[in-house]
């Protein structure tokens, strides 16, 4: 949601709009086989404890998250091999009409710079799928052809508005593989429902966990 209307004192300098494209970890759908998110209360003030204290249990692909090459590739890069600046970049939110997979024709025709992120706003956002706790197996994914075009255009990160860039049921994960083999980060589980198509700066910082093959992020778009 945009925070543009918040009091000026709360608004960071130089940005007119900030869109939070992350989803609540405790309400996001979970990919079949992944760990359920849980927050266990160890101390509770409403039970007479002196403070509130909780412990979290979650998969590294929970909610809005980044996939690193080590997710699929032997010896692939892990979280700590990226400079924090790798997670801050110009981004384009691309509106994709229709109910089928993202095709090459959906990519923007004009292209001014390499090293951008492309975030696909599809029917998943129109159906609000990231806000439904139950998993939907008919989500819109990327075609391999569109993925190859992303590689050719030297995109730095590809994002999609559900929890996988690959079609459900294709365990060979051709889209993941094509992106990660070309060192293109994958941002999954973003919520673009309220975000107009267009250009932004993307910030999606992973948790600092050495060896991580993926990590939840707090992702925002600013402009
Ligand atoms: Zn993932």
């Amino acid at each position: 949601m945009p925070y543009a209307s918040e009091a000026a004192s709360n608004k960071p300098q130089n940005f007119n709009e900030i869109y939070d494209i992350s989803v609540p970890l405790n309400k996001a759908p979970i990919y079949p086989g992944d760990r359920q998110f849980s927050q266990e209360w160890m101390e509770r003030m409403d039970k007479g404890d002196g403070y509130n204290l909780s412990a979290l249990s979650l998969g590294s692909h929970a909610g809005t998250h980044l996939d690193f090459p080590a997710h699929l590739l032997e010896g692939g890069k892990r979280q700590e091999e990226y400079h924090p600046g790798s997670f801050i970049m110009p981004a384009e939110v691309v509106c994709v009409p229709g109910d089928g997979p993202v095709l090459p024709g959906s990519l923007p025709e004009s292209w001014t710079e390499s090293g951008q992120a492309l975030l696909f706003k599809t029917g998943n956002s129109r159906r609000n799928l990231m806000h439904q706790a139950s998993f939907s197996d008919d989500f819109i994914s990327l075609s391999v052809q569109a993925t190859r075009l992303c590689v050719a255009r030297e995109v730095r990160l590809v994002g999609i508005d559900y929890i996988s860039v690959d079609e459900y049921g294709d365990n060979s994960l051709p889209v993941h593989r094509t992106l990660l083999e070309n060192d293109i980060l994958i941002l999954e589980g973003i919520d673009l429902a309220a975000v107009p198509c267009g250009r932004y700066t993307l910030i999606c910082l992973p948790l600092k966990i050495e060896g991580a093959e993926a990590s939840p992020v707090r992702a925002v778009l600013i402009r």
Side-chain angles (χ1 to χ4, degrees):
M1 68 191 73
Y3 289 93
S5 59
E6 283 192 3
S9 58
N10 290 335
K11 206 168 82 178
Q13 310 255 311
N14 304 327
F15 301 121
N16 289 320
E17 298 171 39
I18 301 180
Y19 291 92
D20 186 354
I21 59 169
S22 327
V23 295
L25 276 164
N26 53 330
K27 292 180 179 166
I30 290 171
Y31 203 83
D34 253 7
R35 173 164 299 191
Q36 202 73 33
F37 174 90
S38 72
Q39 182 179 28
E40 179 195 349
W41 288 98
M42 303 168 74
E43 305 284 341
R44 294 185 67 146
M45 292 170 71
D46 63 2
K47 295 246 166 83
D49 297 324
Y51 45 88
N52 289 319
L53 183 72
S54 66
L56 306 178
S57 174
L58 72 167
S60 49
H61 299 253
T64 308
H65 69 276
L66 276 172
D67 284 355
F68 304 113
H71 178 38
L72 281 187
L73 309 176
E74 203 78 53
K77 280 165 80 175
R78 297 170 183 275
Q79 178 277 130
E80 67 272 19
E81 292 172 72
Y82 290 87
H83 186 274
S86 309
F87 309 117
I88 303 170
M89 68 196 86
E92 179 148 1
V93 173
V94 180
C95 287
V96 182
D99 300 324
V102 178
L103 298 171
S106 300
L107 268 71
E109 280 172 23
S110 61
W111 200 254
T112 51
E113 50 190 319
S114 63
Q116 272 193 229
L118 274 188
L119 309 180
F120 293 103
K121 177 179 178 177
T122 74
N124 300 330
S125 285
R126 292 189 286 280
R127 292 170 65 197
N128 249 328
L129 286 191
M130 279 311 296
H131 290 283
Q132 294 173 22
S134 61
F135 176 75
S136 307
D137 62 7
D138 59 348
F139 61 88
I140 292 172
S141 56
L142 258 68
S143 68
V144 174
Q145 294 87 341
T147 307
R148 291 205 186 107
L149 191 51
C150 291
V151 173
R153 288 183 171 184
E154 298 179 329
V155 169
R156 202 198 312 173
L157 176 151
V158 166
I160 187 113
D161 50 1
Y162 204 57
I163 43 182
S164 180
V165 286
D166 268 292
E167 190 182 6
Y168 184 65
D170 188 347
N171 294 329
S172 65
L173 301 172
V175 174
H176 274 85
R177 234 168 247 293
T178 302
L179 293 171
L180 297 177
E181 281 171 354
N182 287 282
D183 198 15
I184 298 174
L185 291 165
I186 302 174
L187 180 60
E188 293 169 322
I190 49 177
D191 172 22
L192 296 173
V195 184
C197 311
R199 295 189 161 231
Y200 300 86
T201 296
L202 167 70
I203 303 175
C204 56
L205 293 162
L207 300 177
K208 196 163 182 170
I209 302 170
E210 287 190 3
E213 92 296 355
S215 171
V217 297
R218 183 69 180 259
V220 295
L221 291 169
I222 58 182
R223 67 178 177 185

